[in-house]
Amino acid sequence: MAKAAWMVVVAVAAMMVGLNAQSMSCGTVVTDLYPCLDYVRNGGAVPMNCCDGIRSLYRSAATTADRQTVCNCMKNAAGSVPGVRLDLAAALPQKCGVTLPYKITPSINCATVQ
C-alpha cells in the first residue's frame, strides 16, 4: 500500500513539476516524492524534504517530450491510492516555490504539457 501511495503522490506532483523521463524512472520519482505522502493525505505543514524533492524534479526537467512522458507515467498511477487529497497535491508546487505554466488536474492531457 505504501508504494502505491507513493505513486499517487508522484502522479500529481510530477505532473506539476515535469521532469526528465529520459534520465529518471518512475521509481526514482517515487523515491524523491515519498516525503510528500503524509502531507497529501493529511494536510498540515509541507515537509521540507517534500519540497526538496519537488524542486529537484523541476530542475531536472529537460524537454517537452520528457515532461509528457513522466506526466503520463504518473497520471497512470494517480488513481491507485485512496485517501490522497488531490487539492493538497495540486497545491504542492506553489507551496514549494515552483511556478508551473499549466494547471495540474487528475484529467490533465499530458500531450499539452510543455
Side-chain angles (χ1 to χ4, degrees), residues 24-62:
M24 288 188 179
S25 68
C26 288
T28 299
V29 177
V30 167
T31 299
D32 287 346
L33 296 180
Y34 179 73
C36 302
L37 182 58
D38 187 56
Y39 172 78
V40 298
R41 282 188 162 165
N42 303 309
V46 178
M48 177 70 73
N49 53 352
C50 170
C51 285
D52 291 344
I54 288 174
R55 286 189 292 264
S56 174
L57 292 172
Y58 184 75
R59 284 189 304 268
S60 297

Side-chain angles (χ1 to χ4, degrees), residues 62-73:
T63 67
T64 296
D66 292 338
R67 289 184 291 275
Q68 289 174 353
T69 297
V70 173
C71 174
N72 281 305
C73 176

Side-chain angles (χ1 to χ4, degrees), residues 1-10 30 34 37-38 40-41 77-84:
M1 175 72 110
K3 188 168 184 169
W6 288 4
M7 295 304 284
V8 170
V9 171
V10 171
V30 167
Y34 179 73
L37 182 58
D38 187 56
V40 298
R41 282 188 162 165
S80 65
V81 178
V84 171

Side-chain angles (χ1 to χ4, degrees), residues 90-108:
L92 274 173
Q94 183 177 10
K95 288 183 176 277
C96 293
V98 173
T99 303
L100 299 173
Y102 48 86
K103 182 177 176 157
I104 297 304
T105 68
S107 61
I108 188 171

